[in-house]
Structures are given as C-alpha cells and as structure tokens.
C-alpha cells in the first residue's frame, strides 16, 4: 500500500500575510495551502510569491504537508508561480480552475526538472471540469502530470452555476459524488470544499460529517478554529480501528489463508473488508505518528 498522509484538515493561508505564514507553524492542521491566488490582490502577487517561497525554503512547518496554490496558467502570474514554487520544493503545488487534462499536461512540462517528490493537486471548481472530470482524473496515468489529489472548489462552482448554499448541499451533491468517483477510479485523494460561515460550528461539523460519509479524505478550511473539529471528524473512530485490526488478524491466521469469507464475532466478513480495514489502520497509524 502507498504510504498514507493524513489530510483531515487542509487550511488555506494567505500568502501575502507574513504573520499568518508564521502562525501556521503552530496549528494542528494536517496540511497547509499557502495561497497566491484568491487571497492575494493583483498588486501583491509578486511579493506574496517571494514571501511564500521564502517561507517554504526556510522550513519550520514540522510534519505538516505544505502546498503552494499558484495562480492559473491563463493569468500573468501562473507560470512564474509554478516555477518559483518548484524551486522552493514544497510537498505539492495546487493548480486552480483545472477544466481539462491539457492544463495538467502543461503544468507537468513546467515541472519537468523539479524534484520528483513534488505532487500536483487540482482544483475542481468549474462547470467545464465537472463535464470532463473523468478525463481530468485519468491524467494521473501520465506520470509527468504528477497528479495526486483533487480539491473541490465549491465557492467557485456555486458562483458559476448560480447554485445556492443550503443546509445539506443538495444542489452540489451530484458534483461532489461525480468528482469523488472519478478521483477514486484513478487512485487519487480528494478534499471537500470550504465552509464559509466560521461562526456556525454546528453547521461546519454537520458538513464535515457529510463529507466524511461521502468518502472525502478531509476538508479544506478557511479559519484555524475549524482545524480541530475536522481532525476529529475525519479520523477513524477508535472502535472502527479496533474492528479493522480484528478482521485483519482473523484473515492472517494460517488456517484462514485461502478463505474469502469468515465469521468474526458472529459477523460475516469478506476479504474486501480486510482490505478496507488495512486502509483504516494505515490512516490511524499515520495520524498517531504525526501526533507523536
């Protein structure tokens, strides 16, 4: 199994705010998106790029996964952002408004000489992306794209489609499901979109629970107060981890080596449950290692 990194809480931090970049080193987020796009005014783009890349080079972020969100390739800043980010060597570069696989192939060319470990994350936030989501996900088959993760851009999707934000997100459920299905078909991780009302923690928790139940790996966040609830909700419950370990242990018994179905504590389980359990245990162990 590929090594798993927890991505329960992925916090956007404005790249033009030096205090925020420093504060991020103390927050319990699994990952940080240092933003050069939406959070930065046009006249501050170049300065933010220099500041973010300098912060990434300087380090000090501990086990947190560090992602730089570039501006789009169709902007005056996108290419320079990607090249500068590659030189800073973050864990990944987030590309906004990816609406076709050709964009990812172009990004791959820009990263041809970058360190191999740098991954590409893609924002799914346009109607065109939703109509071409299978081909966008399939770009991961071309290793030059480095594609590893989708990030739902629900605010932009709402803007472009005129969908309303309502409890339960009924207008967005088809898009969430479609993007998640495409991601899993190609072995990609996928993160849920942001929750805008930072004063409504009950609503935030409900949306995290919905995203978790859908199968998302975690949630993108806009405020530090959202980090710990997201960490809690997207972590496998202790009882689920214990049950997964029990199933795995049962199938590992020599007498069960060739069996596809077993009875464990009076419940019928299949080998697929052991496979699912291995991921649950791997996520739990990765979280424990990060905290320890």
């Amino acid at each position: 199994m590929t090594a798993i990194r927890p991505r329960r809480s992925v916090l956007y931090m404005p790249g033009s705010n030096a205090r925020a970049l420093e504060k991020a080193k103390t927050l319990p987020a699994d990952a940080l998106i240092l933003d050069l796009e939406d959070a930065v005014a046009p006249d501050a783009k170049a300065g933010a790029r220099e500041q973010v890349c300098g912060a990434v080079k300087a380090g000090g972020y501990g086990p947190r996964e560090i992602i730089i969100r570039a501006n789009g390739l169709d902007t005056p800043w996108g290419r320079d952002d990607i090249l500068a980010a590659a030189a800073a060597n973050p864990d990944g570069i987030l590309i906004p408004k990816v609406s076709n696989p050709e964009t990812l192939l172009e990004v791959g060319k820009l990263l041809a000489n970058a360190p191999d470990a740098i991954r590409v994350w893609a924002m799914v936030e346009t109607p065109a992306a939703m109509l071409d989501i299978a081909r966008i996900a399939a770009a991961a088959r071309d290793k030059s794209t480095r594609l590893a993760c989708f990030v739902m851009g629900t605010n932009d999707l709402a803007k472009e489609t005129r969908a309303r934000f309502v409890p339960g997100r009924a207008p967005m459920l088809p898009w969430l499901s479609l993007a998640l299905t495409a991601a899993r078909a190609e072995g990609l991780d996928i993160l849920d979109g942001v929750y805008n009302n930072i004063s409504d923690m009950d609503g935030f928790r409900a949306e995290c629970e919905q995203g978790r139940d859908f199968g998302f790996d975690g949630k993108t966040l806009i405020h530090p107060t959202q980090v710990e609830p997201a960490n809690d909700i997207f972590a496998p419950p202790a009882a689920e981890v214990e049950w997964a370990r029990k199933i795995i242990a049962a199938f590992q018994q020599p007498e069960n080596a060739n069996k596809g179905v077993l009875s464990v504590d009076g419940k019928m389980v299949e080998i697929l449950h052991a496979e699912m359990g291995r991921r649950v245990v791997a996520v739990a162990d990765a979280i424990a290692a990060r905290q320890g």
Side-chain angles (χ1 to χ4, degrees):
M1 179 183 288
T2 304
I4 287 176
R5 293 189 75 158
R7 290 171 177 154
R8 302 164 296 170
S9 54
V10 181
L11 179 64
Y12 288 103
M13 302 299 284
S16 55
N17 187 327
R19 286 183 59 193
L21 297 180
E22 189 64 26
K23 180 179 176 59
K25 298 177 181 179
T26 68
L27 300 173
D30 286 337
L32 302 167
I33 296 174
L34 310 185
D35 191 16
L36 302 178
E37 195 213 13
D38 284 348
V40 181
D43 61 356
K45 297 282 191 186
R49 180 196 303 139
E50 182 177 354
Q51 182 165 265
V52 163
C53 291
V56 173
K57 289 177 182 177
Y61 289 96
R64 299 165 189 82
E65 196 170 10
I66 302 300
I67 310 299
I68 296 175
R69 179 161 74 167
N71 287 279
L73 287 178
D74 59 347
T75 72
W77 312 283
R79 293 175 184 275
D80 288 341
D81 284 350
I82 291 169
L83 293 172
N89 197 23
D91 294 294
I93 300 172
L94 177 58
I95 308 300
K97 298 177 177 61
V98 175
S99 295
N100 54 63
E102 288 74 26
T103 298
L104 296 171
L105 292 169
E106 191 172 352
V107 170
K109 291 177 183 177
L110 291 173
L111 295 176
N113 297 317
D116 291 340
I118 296 176
R119 298 294 92 194
V120 167
W121 292 14
M123 295 288 305
V124 177
E125 53 185 344
T126 66
M130 297 314 310
L131 292 174
D132 209 11
I133 196 67
R135 285 205 318 133
I136 295 171
R141 300 177 194 176
D142 185 332
K143 299 306 180 186
S144 73
T145 67
R146 304 171 181 242
L147 181 61
C149 186
F150 278 171
V151 179
M152 295 304 300
T154 44
N155 281 338
D156 276 273
L157 274 169
K159 178 177 92 95
E160 297 294 332
T161 61
R162 303 173 199 161
R164 293 181 182 273
F165 288 103
V166 296
R169 296 194 290 183
M172 294 189 178
L173 296 186
W175 309 326
L176 297 174
S177 181
L178 191 59
L180 190 143
T181 302
R184 298 303 187 223
E186 301 296 341
L188 303 175
D189 275 7
I190 183 167
L191 302 171
D192 198 358
V194 300
Y195 188 80
N196 297 312
N197 188 350
I198 59 176
S199 65
D200 179 13
M201 292 309 294
D202 289 339
F204 173 72
R205 292 187 68 90
E207 195 165 287
C208 283
E209 289 166 358
Q210 181 194 47
R212 175 202 62 197
D213 293 347
F214 249 75
F216 285 97
D217 295 291
K219 193 159 183 69
T220 45
L221 312 175
I222 57 171
H223 196 271
T225 58
Q226 297 176 327
V227 171
E228 292 192 8
N231 282 347
D232 177 53
I233 291 166
F234 281 96
E240 184 178 331
V241 177
E242 182 181 357
W243 176 240
R245 293 188 193 279
K246 187 172 287 190
I247 294 172
I248 294 166
F251 275 100
Q252 288 175 339
Q253 294 299 314
E255 63 270 23
N256 297 328
N258 297 315
K259 293 181 180 178
V261 180
L262 295 176
S263 175
V264 178
D265 291 353
K267 297 179 181 178
M268 297 304 296
V269 294
E270 301 178 44
I271 192 69
L272 68 88
H273 294 113
E275 293 166 0
M276 292 165 63
R278 289 189 186 95
R279 178 172 178 82
V280 169
V281 170
V283 170
D285 287 348
I287 291 170
R290 188 199 179 291
Q291 293 172 338

